Amino acid sequence: MKKKIISFLTTGVFIGVFFMSITFHSCEDYLDIDEYIYDRTTIDSVFNSRIKLMEYINGIVAYLPNDGSPHRGSTTPAGQASDEWFASWYPDGAQAGMTLLMNDVTPESWEFAGLWGDMYKGIRKCNIVLSRIGEVADLTDMERRDYTGRTHFLRAYFYFTLLRHYGPINILPNKAFDTDSSVESVMQERDTWDDCADYICSDLEQAANYLPLSRELAFEFAPTKGSALALLARTRLHQASPWYNGNTRYSDWTRTDGRHFISQEYDPERWGKAAAAFKEVIDLNVYQLNTIPREPTTLPLPPTVSDAPFPNGAGDIDPYLSYKNMFDGTTFSSQNLELIYYVRVPNTESVAIPTPTNLGGYGGFNVPLQIAEQYRWADGRQYAEGTPEERSSEAIGYPINFSGNYVIGANVAKLDVNREPRFYATLGYNHCIWPGTSYTENASLINYEVTYYKDGSGSAGAIPTDYNHTGYTCRKFIHQEDHLRVGNLIKTKVMPVIRYAEVLLGYVEAMNEMEGTYTDPKNPDSPSDDVTVSRDVAEMVRCFNQVRYRAGLPGITATDAADRNRMRELIMQERLVEFAFESHRYHDLRRWGVAQEYIAARPMGYNVEARNGERDRYYTRVVLDRERIHRRDFTQKCYFYPIPRNVLDRNYKLVQSPGWR
């Protein structure tokens, strides 16, 4: 009986519950026998039917982190724990991500306390499926391959989520422990970061071998071969990045066998592995950047931008709609070849938080000036390179039809005019016009001009502190027909977890850091399947410029790509703008090892204490320090989230993340 119990309860969650005592007792001391028999019968029934197996695997999916809600309601700190934005109200259980910025996290914190346990619950169930799927007699060979591939992908995703947030974790044995095992052999310490990454990549390689290239519409959210390979490439990029590749700040953090949890010697070959992994996704020839054809009303391109057809220029596309339509629900996800792995946005939070109170939202999504000023001028110059006239607070005085139904209003300051298309697709600003075409019951709310003066139309509602603190907010996930005042009529949206732009920019980043040539031997019996990469300047230009041209910007040159340091700067800025508010920034800053420099800096904004009629005073740049939410206390310990105290209490071999003891 003991062996049967262990055979289906094989996770750190079980270990923590089952081995709370130093000595072993009979199974009756730990489990109710009737409950055990019921659970065992339930598990057995899963592998008697393909339908029940499918239901069981769908149940595993429920343990995945809520990537569709990276902001309010997030199950990880990524959405709010960077320098991208902050909420106007704190503390609030729905704004848990900000606790890391405020230095309010402890190993006893309730925020994200369930993440560790949920991931290991998912891993346990994956292990059960992979060990018993052969028992399901009515599966076709194709179904068996698909379900096996899905399960490998899920297990890898659970482990990758743990690795990104907690650092090195413990990889559980795929085979169950015997009950006569000693406590010492059952309790596990963390594996090294590299061992974890290699295990995840091995799982993803197996997933890629089983999964199909595409899915029918009914299964569009299930992973594909491309999903597995793209997640593998992301893992390799992290493994090559400075924080995990020769980081001597963790020289005294070691396992009991003396091995360092974080590698102490820099290995340049890791960049080659990452580049080869990204190239393998590209070579599938399945994905491409989302583009929308140019219309007569589309604003002409600046002379600095190539007017050749995409992907060699932006002459035949509408850069604003090509980018915006991916996020606001206009482009059907199943028809968007840029999406590699994506999830449905489960609620209205991505719309409600930035939407002004008069339009039924909260108005509490604040984008610092440091972020807004990373968006270039339309001709490709940096914002800081603008002339005094271009950076003036003076109103332009006339409306501009920027693209389709997007209008830049006459009262908009010149400093917010003539910016790159992603600026308008992503940000809301003072005097920005919110179309609100569904607000037909109140015509005054259609084409609503939002201002962030103290007495402006975007001022606070019922909660006094719930107003915009910086002068910029997010419009990326908002469709012109979204309606919050009557029944929350919101367009169905998806959140891209991995999209092709990430593959292109990741490939460029990995190539930029490479030294020499790297060959990934895919098949020892077939050298023609090998993937070979190098620091190919022409290839870097080609891939980087696809993202640039889709954004309606000038491309980089071979001279730019030949300069390694120059490219690092370009990649960092491009990732910030391209993936704004998609949960990339938090992890990028950490893997680059610059999180303290950027996240700990005080946010800047315009002077929203100014009133209507005080235009020049409003457009004064200020460092925000009026309230606690403006302050940052991000230290080195915040690079890894603390393991919950109750988990450490159940497994004495686990050590806490550095700085959290």
Side-chain angles (χ1 to χ4, degrees):
M1 172 183 168
K2 293 178 182 178
K3 291 184 178 179
K4 287 185 177 180
I5 293 176
I6 297 296
S7 71
F8 75 95
L9 294 174
T10 53
T11 69
V13 176
F14 166 69
I15 292 168
V17 175
F18 196 78
F19 295 104
M20 290 178 68
S21 168
I22 297 299
T23 59
F24 280 82
H25 300 279
S26 69
C27 58
E28 289 87 346
D29 294 329
Y30 294 95
L31 297 174
D32 180 88
I33 299 303
D34 292 336
E35 181 181 350
Y36 158 70
I37 293 172
Y38 172 77
D39 288 343
R40 178 70 188 189
T41 303
T42 302
I43 291 294
D44 284 343
S45 69
V46 168
F47 301 97
N48 290 332
S49 161
R50 60 179 290 276
I51 298 299
K52 290 204 177 283
L53 174 65
M54 184 173 65
E55 292 173 349
Y56 191 74
I57 293 176
N58 288 339
I60 298 175
V61 174
Y63 288 109
L64 288 172
N66 189 9
D67 290 324
S69 296
H71 310 133
R72 188 181 185 188
S74 172
T75 52
T76 68
Q80 293 177 295
S82 75
D83 60 343
E84 281 187 310
W85 76 284
F86 61 93
S88 296
W89 64 102
Y90 180 84
D92 185 321
Q95 309 300 333
M98 289 182 62
T99 57
L100 201 57
L101 298 180
M102 303 290 102
N103 197 20
D104 285 342
V105 173
T106 71
E108 292 78 26
S109 296
W110 64 265
E111 295 90 357
F112 313 117
L115 180 64
W116 179 281
D118 283 347
M119 297 303 99
Y120 276 111
K121 287 176 184 176
I123 291 165
R124 172 177 74 87
K125 290 179 179 291
C126 288
N127 286 341
I128 293 172
V129 171
L130 292 173
S131 65
R132 300 191 61 180
I133 192 170
E135 302 173 23
V136 186
D138 60 343
L139 279 179
T140 66
D141 289 343
M142 184 176 295
E143 289 171 335
R144 195 180 310 277
R145 289 180 61 84
D146 187 20
Y147 294 155
T148 300
R150 292 193 204 190
T151 308
H152 277 293
F153 178 87
L154 288 170
R155 185 169 68 179
Y157 201 98
F158 290 130
Y159 275 128
F160 180 72
T161 299
L162 289 167
L163 185 65
R164 281 213 296 181
H165 289 91
Y166 297 99
I169 50 170
N170 52 315
I171 300 293
L172 301 178
N174 296 339
K175 185 178 182 297
F177 294 107
D178 291 326
T179 52
D180 56 359
S181 302
S182 66
V183 173
E184 193 69 18
S185 66
V186 171
M187 294 298 179
Q188 290 184 276
E189 64 178 318
R190 295 184 186 217
D191 292 284
T192 67
W193 205 99
D194 289 333
D195 285 346
C196 295
D198 289 343
Y199 181 92
I200 291 167
C201 289
S202 175
D203 240 357
L204 291 168
E205 286 174 351
Q206 293 184 69
N209 288 334
Y210 288 117
L211 291 171
L213 267 177
S214 60
R215 294 281 185 187
E216 296 177 358
L217 180 60
F219 302 101
E220 64 171 309
F221 296 106
T224 61
K225 181 184 184 72
S227 306
L229 292 177
L231 184 57
L232 188 158
R234 181 191 283 184
T235 305
R236 290 300 189 201
L237 185 68
H238 277 67
Q239 192 174 17
S241 297
W243 201 252
Y244 310 114
N245 187 6
N247 184 357
T248 57
R249 295 192 190 188
Y250 293 108
S251 60
D252 59 347
W253 193 26
T254 60
R255 286 170 41 91
T256 56
D257 60 9
R259 291 193 299 158
H260 290 90
F261 282 114
I262 305 294
S263 69
Q264 297 299 289
E265 295 183 4
Y266 174 72
D267 180 6
E269 189 175 87
R270 295 186 183 190
W271 292 108
K273 288 184 178 181
F278 282 116
K279 187 176 187 301
E280 195 168 357
V281 181
I282 294 171
D283 288 347
L284 291 176
N285 293 317
V286 172
Y287 306 106
Q288 62 187 42
L289 295 183
N290 183 63
T291 57
I292 301 296
R294 175 174 289 271
E295 298 180 355
T297 56
T298 303
L299 207 66
L301 293 170
T304 55
V305 181
S306 170
D307 61 359
F310 186 83
N312 300 312
D316 60 345
I317 66 171
D318 185 314
Y320 169 80
L321 293 178
S322 296
Y323 186 78
K324 181 73 161 63
N325 287 7
M326 282 194 294
F327 308 101
D328 67 5
T330 299
T331 300
F332 290 121
S333 54
S334 59
Q335 299 173 355
N336 185 353
L337 296 180
E338 181 165 348
L339 302 181
I340 299 177
Y341 183 62
Y342 54 98
V343 296
R344 192 179 301 281
V345 177
N347 52 43
T348 63
E349 56 92 15
S350 60
V351 174
I353 298 177
T355 297
T357 53
N358 287 353
L359 295 176
Y362 306 128
F365 193 115
N366 308 288
V367 179
L369 263 179
Q370 294 100 312
I371 300 299
E373 292 178 352
Q374 290 298 305
Y375 291 82
R376 297 170 178 265
W377 297 103
D379 60 8
R381 289 172 300 145
Q382 297 282 14
Y383 177 78
E385 297 173 340
T387 66
E389 175 70 12
E390 288 174 313
R391 298 174 63 182
S392 167
S393 63
E394 181 183 352
I396 57 173
Y398 54 88
I400 299 175
N401 291 318
F402 183 75
S403 172
N405 52 31
Y406 189 93
V407 176
I408 300 174
N411 294 319
V412 174
K414 291 182 178 179
L415 54 84
D416 287 330
V417 179
N418 199 33
R419 303 288 287 276
E420 64 159 288
R422 286 178 299 190
F423 176 88
Y424 302 105
T426 305
L427 300 181
Y429 45 88
N430 197 37
H431 294 288
C432 178
I433 295 176
W434 294 57
T437 54
S438 292
Y439 289 80
T440 54
E441 77 286 352
N442 187 342
S444 67
L445 298 180
I446 299 176
N447 292 325
Y448 190 70
E449 184 175 335
V450 176
T451 59
Y452 295 117
Y453 303 105
K454 191 175 182 64
D455 55 348
S457 59
S459 57
I463 304 175
T465 60
D466 197 5
Y467 62 92
N468 189 284
H469 291 234
T470 64
Y472 289 100
T473 193
C474 173
R475 291 189 68 249
K476 187 171 186 174
F477 307 101
I478 299 174
H479 191 277
Q480 67 171 22
E481 295 178 5
D482 287 342
H483 194 328
L484 288 170
R485 290 177 66 93
V486 179
N488 286 339
L489 301 176
I490 305 298
K491 283 274 189 181
T492 299
K493 301 177 176 67
V494 299
M495 177 62 68
V497 178
I498 308 174
R499 55 187 178 93
Y500 191 55
E502 178 187 349
V503 172
L504 292 172
L505 292 180
Y507 184 37
V508 172
E509 180 180 351
M511 281 193 291
N512 184 57
E513 301 296 337
M514 284 187 64
E515 297 176 5
T517 299
Y518 174 81
T519 297
D520 185 10
K522 304 304 296 182
N523 185 349
D525 300 325
S526 179
S528 62
D529 294 336
D530 293 351
V531 179
T532 300
V533 290
S534 63
R535 195 181 189 282
D536 186 332
V537 168
E539 183 74 345
M540 291 168 62
V541 170
R542 183 185 73 84
C543 293
F544 194 89
N545 283 351
Q546 286 186 53
V547 179
R548 277 290 190 86
Y549 291 146
R550 198 270 296 276
L553 287 173
I556 63 170
T557 65
T559 302
D560 292 322
D563 187 331
R564 198 186 303 268
N565 291 328
R566 167 69 173 155
M567 282 305 299
R568 285 175 183 154
E569 295 174 356
L570 289 171
I571 290 165
M572 179 179 287
Q573 181 176 9
E574 201 67 28
R575 288 184 68 93
L576 183 156
V577 173
E578 177 68 22
F579 304 124
F581 317 125
E582 295 179 54
S583 294
H584 285 266
R585 179 71 171 171
Y586 171 65
H587 297 295
D588 280 346
L589 293 177
R590 290 163 67 242
R591 68 180 178 85
W592 290 329
V594 296
Q596 286 172 263
E597 174 186 348
Y598 286 90
I599 298 178
R602 293 281 181 88
M604 298 186 66
Y606 290 130
N607 183 11
V608 297
E609 293 298 305
R611 296 182 176 275
N612 278 299
E614 298 179 309
R615 188 181 184 94
D616 289 340
R617 182 175 171 233
Y618 172 89
Y619 284 103
T620 301
R621 297 163 56 89
V622 296
V623 177
L624 303 182
D625 61 1
R626 299 187 306 274
E627 301 178 24
R628 186 171 180 240
I629 59 172
H630 301 152
R631 302 177 180 93
R632 300 290 181 265
D633 194 8
F634 190 98
T635 61
Q636 182 174 321
K637 71 177 183 179
C638 299
Y639 275 87
F640 296 130
Y641 209 74
I643 297 177
R645 174 64 61 192
N646 64 338
V647 173
L648 297 176
D649 291 342
R650 293 169 182 169
N651 185 349
Y652 68 86
K653 283 192 175 182
L654 281 178
V655 295
Q656 185 56 278
S657 301
W660 295 102
R661 296 189 179 93

